[in-house]
Amino acid sequence: MYFIKKDNKISLTIEGRNAVAGYLFLLPFLIGFLSFMLLPIVESLRMVFSRVRIDIIKNGFDMEFIGLENLVRVFMIDPEFNRMLTEEIWRMVLIVPAIIIFSLFVALILNQEFKARGFVRAVFFLPVILSSGIMIGLETNNSLLNSMAEIIREGNLLKASITKVLEDILVSEGAASDFMAYIFVIVNQIYDIAMASGIQIIIFLSALQTIPPSMFEAAEIEGATGWECFWKITFPMVSPLILVNVVYSVVDYFIRTDNLIMAKINTAMIMRLEFGFSTAMAWVYFLAVMIIIGASVGLISKKVYYYE
Amino acid sequence: MSNDKKTKEWGNISGSYYVKKNIWDITFKICRGILLFGLCFLILQPLLDKLSISFMSWEDLYDGTVISIPRNFTLANYSQVSSLMNYWASLFQTLLIVLGSSVLQIAACTLAGYGFARFKFPLKNFWFLCVMLIIIVPPQTIMSSLYLNFRFFDVFGIVRLITGKPVNLLNNVLGLFLLSMTGMGLKSGLYIFMLRQYFRGMPKELEEAAWVDGCGRFKTFIQIMLPDAMPMLTSCFLFSFVWQWTDSFYSTLFLSSYRMLSKGLGGLAERYAQWYAQVYVASGTGGVSNFAPVAQTQMMLATGMLMCLIPLILLYLVAQKAFVESLSQTGIKM
């Protein structure tokens, strides 16, 4: 298929040349993956099945094969892991759709023309910075601000919050279904959601900016309403990046350092130096994440529209 | 007079179409304004708090009547943090390192993303699974092996052949550049995925036209696809820059002998405590404890955080211009 035999000479077909070109484009990535990532990943996989000690003389790890002992400990002996895993997955399932909808909504607004648009966009870029690397620790550990927040909360203790009042009204009217309960959970977490959707907003924004305006003009002349334009043009055109955003949100949720399981893995690894046990937990965790991502990619990519 | 009459008549005929449209437009704008104001306030509020704290003097900090506007406005915090973090020197060094590394990273990721989006080759799905793997595996879990890998750096024994012994790439900016260049830097998998999705969403006709006109594959990529992908490239570059700017993982692995802003910010509290001990405790005027007061340390941290943020915001404002300009350049499509 990739080669053709002609006059006793083997030469590449167009497909073959495309394959070669594809590999050339991938070359940096392949070199990097094979030389930097493969070894650490394989080594950490080996740790799952071994008892690991740090060997100071050899400057490396001393691994002794013990079979499934670490995995048994993760699933059967450790009292927290299973509960934490299901809890985190459930919370993720609740919050990711909210992040996606929120960020698409904000991106649509930010893509419109209005005064001070540059400023507002810059403000929505701030969560990207604030939720990254070293900033995230400073943000949450700031005891001075926390004490200020405490004072404000005490002052407001007598006055009920507006969402609470609304919720009470809806409950007494009998309108509070499970869906409304979900909405209230989301509304109460709006700060977390806004902080978690900085990247997604920018990804959507850059996708929205490359939709040719001529498409909207044509649709408008044909008499399409804004609602129809959204579902027939905007939504399909950004759908490839909805997939990216779902994957990113899921991963971001799972590898945050304030995630319960990540914290557990980190303490087991850094504080107690239980390398085998902690890598076993990490691998179980990543397999779970992989499965979730695989399922959501499988579901979404059926609906994704590629301009082909 | 007759004009007014005509307007009325038109209004009657169309069922006050324009009036309704105007009212609808204005309500929409007001709602949007309120919503945006609220969301912006939500995001800005913690930062505004920090901003007001950073201008306060010590007396204001302990004064219960000072809420957000400092009474004794001072820039002393900034100058102190600047000397504690060695701000200007480390700003310059961080800028150079992060800029270089993010350009290399985005270049490698763009190539890989385009390769995944447009070409068919054997094992493609397997390699893409590897991309997903590097998105999901957080660097912390493979930290120890990565450390060893770079302590005795040797690709398939090649380096040993040339120099006789493996190289130590820890504490060396080359190690970081090498990782970025080969698409293994911080969150590289995400950029590959983003760019792949983006290129897949672009129309194929342009490339086919270029192909028919005799443009090679690589030239098509450089001259036709890249200019069109500018918005996405800019956002990838921004993410890459910001994440490396605030990153503490790779900078402890590779850059511990360099002055990085993120490291300076991380060690700020400690350094302030040392300074406090030198100035006050040693001279016997430090009061009760040997430790720097928590409130003052937090004040320093808030100031330092703002000083790390400001360059990034400036960068965003510049990059946003590139957003808009690239948009106007890519007029013809389809």
Side-chain angles (χ1 to χ4, degrees):
Chain A
M1 196 162 119
Y2 293 110
F3 299 101
I4 193 167
K5 208 174 177 187
K6 200 175 165 190
D7 306 335
N8 279 333
K9 273 196 291 183
I10 298 172
S11 58
L12 288 165
T13 56
I14 268 272
E15 275 172 17
R17 267 188 246 163
N18 271 337
V20 171
Y23 265 103
L24 284 180
F25 273 107
L26 242 65
L27 198 62
F29 168 75
L30 293 182
I31 292 174
F33 186 77
L34 294 177
S35 51
F36 301 126
M37 282 295 148
L38 196 62
L39 198 69
I41 288 175
V42 170
E43 190 144 288
S44 79
L45 198 57
R46 233 179 86 200
M47 279 184 189
V48 175
F49 302 104
S50 334
R51 182 178 292 123
V52 186
R53 279 191 214 87
I54 296 179
D55 196 329
I56 304 163
I57 305 152
K58 267 197 315 186
N59 249 329
F61 292 114
D62 180 31
M63 290 192 214
E64 179 196 337
F65 184 76
I66 50 166
L68 294 176
E69 205 173 286
N70 284 325
L71 287 172
V72 169
R73 189 176 156 200
V74 168
F75 281 119
M76 314 289 230
I77 300 173
D78 194 85
E80 298 172 325
F81 187 79
N82 292 336
R83 180 180 57 80
M84 278 181 175
L85 189 65
T86 42
E87 246 173 50
E88 288 293 347
I89 289 174
W90 183 235
R91 217 178 296 161
M92 185 280 297
V93 168
L94 286 180
I95 210 161
V96 167
I99 289 175
I100 299 296
I101 293 169
F102 177 80
S103 52
L104 182 56
F105 179 71
V106 171
L108 281 171
I109 291 180
L110 292 186
N111 202 31
Q112 290 168 352
E113 295 277 342
F114 55 87
K115 273 176 199 156
R117 184 171 72 163
F119 172 76
V120 176
R121 278 189 186 173
V123 169
F124 275 96
F125 180 67
L126 283 174
V128 177
I129 307 173
L130 291 179
S131 63
S132 71
I134 194 156
M135 296 287 185
I136 198 165
L138 290 178
E139 181 69 25
T140 46
N141 289 338
N142 200 327
S143 57
L144 187 61
L145 289 180
N146 285 350
S147 65
M148 276 167 86
E150 196 68 24
I151 292 165
I152 295 169
R153 208 171 297 135
E154 273 168 22
N156 282 349
L157 209 58
L158 297 173
K159 304 166 211 150
S161 75
I162 190 158
T163 51
K164 189 80 187 122
V165 173
L166 259 176
E167 201 176 349
D168 285 348
I169 293 169
L170 284 169
V171 167
S172 60
E173 292 295 318
S177 58
D178 285 348
F179 180 69
M180 287 309 285
Y182 171 66
I183 296 287
F184 280 113
V185 169
I186 296 305
V187 169
N188 284 329
Q189 293 183 345
I190 191 73
Y191 180 73
D192 292 335
I193 290 174
M195 274 297 164
S197 51
I199 289 104
Q200 289 86 331
I201 290 173
I202 292 185
I203 293 177
F204 275 138
L205 204 56
S206 45
L208 286 174
Q209 296 196 332
T210 43
I211 303 175
S214 54
M215 279 189 169
F216 290 107
E217 280 161 23
E220 207 172 308
I221 289 167
E222 301 284 341
T225 58
W227 181 250
E228 283 165 346
C229 280
F230 174 74
W231 288 109
K232 304 275 184 207
I233 300 173
T234 315
F235 195 73
M237 291 298 274
V238 297
S239 62
L241 290 156
I242 290 180
L243 190 61
V244 176
N245 278 341
V246 169
V247 170
Y248 178 75
S249 312
V250 171
V251 171
D252 187 51
Y253 184 80
F254 276 125
I255 67 176
R256 293 175 79 95
T257 37
D258 55 352
N259 186 303
L260 286 176
I261 296 183
M262 282 310 285
K264 191 174 161 62
I265 292 172
N266 275 343
T267 41
M269 184 177 276
I270 296 164
M271 302 286 191
R272 286 183 271 144
L273 296 177
E274 293 173 314
F275 288 102
F277 177 54
S278 58
T279 40
M281 279 197 293
W283 272 93
V284 170
Y285 188 48
F286 296 136
L287 283 182
V289 179
M290 263 304 208
I291 290 167
I292 291 168
I293 287 179
S296 45
V297 167
L299 275 177
I300 297 168
S301 55
K302 273 184 195 158
K303 304 275 176 199
V304 169
Y305 170 81
Y306 292 110
Y307 202 122
E308 274 170 9
Chain B
M1 284 297 245
S2 62
N3 243 354
D4 269 13
K5 234 180 185 178
K6 256 185 190 167
T7 325
K8 243 181 195 171
E9 258 171 44
W10 285 337
N12 284 336
I13 293 165
S14 67
S16 319
Y17 176 78
Y18 281 103
V19 178
K20 274 182 193 163
K21 199 180 171 209
N22 266 337
I23 291 174
W24 171 242
D25 272 3
I26 289 168
T27 354
F28 175 71
K29 271 180 192 160
I30 291 172
C31 288
R32 184 176 68 189
I34 293 171
L35 191 75
L36 283 178
F37 178 80
L39 286 173
C40 283
F41 184 74
L42 188 79
I43 294 168
L44 279 180
Q45 195 265 338
L47 280 179
L48 290 179
D49 267 357
K50 288 206 174 69
L51 194 68
S52 79
I53 287 175
S54 74
F55 286 120
M56 283 182 186
S57 62
W58 288 10
E59 299 94 74
D60 289 359
L61 206 58
Y62 295 116
D63 189 343
T65 56
V66 175
I67 303 282
S68 50
I69 299 168
R71 191 168 291 153
N72 304 309
F73 184 87
T74 171
L75 286 172
N77 294 329
Y78 283 91
S79 60
Q80 176 153 27
V81 168
S82 166
S83 72
L84 284 177
M85 277 168 70
N86 205 340
Y87 184 71
W88 293 108
S90 51
L91 179 75
F92 188 64
Q93 205 158 45
T94 313
L95 199 67
L96 276 185
I97 291 174
V98 171
L99 197 69
S101 145
S102 12
V103 167
L104 288 174
Q105 186 180 21
I106 296 305
C109 292
T110 318
L111 283 174
Y114 187 68
F116 276 120
R118 277 297 190 260
F119 297 101
K120 284 199 180 80
F121 44 86
L123 288 180
K124 185 171 162 178
N125 288 333
F126 171 74
W127 293 124
F128 199 67
L129 199 73
C130 293
V131 174
M132 297 305 266
L133 196 70
I134 63 170
I135 298 179
I136 296 167
V137 174
Q140 287 91 334
T141 38
I142 53 168
M143 180 165 77
S144 39
S145 340
L146 208 59
Y147 179 87
L148 288 180
N149 201 354
F150 277 96
R151 175 66 188 78
F152 306 104
F153 181 74
D154 200 353
V155 189
F156 306 127
I158 298 170
V159 180
R160 202 185 295 258
L161 260 180
I162 299 167
T163 56
K165 60 176 194 296
V167 212
N168 180 5
L169 279 184
L170 291 176
N171 303 338
N172 192 334
V173 75
L174 270 182
L176 180 68
F177 282 173
L178 214 58
L179 271 184
S180 315
M181 211 156 70
T182 52
M184 288 298 129
L186 192 65
K187 304 205 187 192
S188 279
L190 176 72
Y191 309 132
I192 295 178
F193 188 33
M194 266 165 78
L195 287 160
R196 176 240 190 194
Q197 289 296 93
Y198 187 81
F199 282 126
R200 270 187 82 173
M202 274 161 88
K204 257 187 182 159
E205 286 84 353
L206 266 177
E207 282 160 290
E208 276 161 9
W211 176 243
V212 168
D213 283 347
C215 193
R217 288 181 186 83
F218 193 68
K219 209 175 162 193
T220 314
F221 168 68
I222 295 284
Q223 294 195 337
I224 295 179
M225 296 310 270
L226 278 191
D228 262 9
M230 265 333 255
M232 196 37 103
L233 285 179
T234 323
S235 32
C236 281
F237 176 76
L238 269 179
F239 293 155
S240 165
F241 195 93
V242 167
W243 276 327
Q244 296 196 52
W245 187 273
T246 59
D247 167 59
S248 56
F249 173 71
Y250 280 110
S251 50
T252 42
L253 198 57
F254 293 115
L255 305 170
S256 52
S257 55
Y258 297 82
R259 283 199 202 95
M260 299 299 283
L261 270 185
S262 59
K263 211 175 52 178
L265 188 60
L268 187 62
E270 204 178 315
R271 220 159 307 153
Y272 181 71
Q274 278 171 11
W275 176 85
Y276 190 86
Q278 265 174 16
V279 174
Y280 289 93
V281 180
S283 64
T285 53
V288 254
S289 74
N290 277 330
F291 301 106
V294 177
Q296 282 167 29
T297 313
Q298 293 298 342
M299 185 166 81
M300 288 297 139
L301 278 180
T303 316
M305 197 170 161
L306 285 175
M307 286 169 79
C308 285
L309 267 176
I310 290 165
L312 293 176
I313 296 172
L314 290 180
L315 176 85
Y316 180 76
L317 292 177
V318 174
Q320 204 186 24
K321 244 183 187 169
F323 255 7
V324 178
E325 273 167 17
S326 70
L327 201 69
S328 56
Q329 278 169 7
T330 58
I332 3 155
K333 272 180 98 182
M334 304 197 308

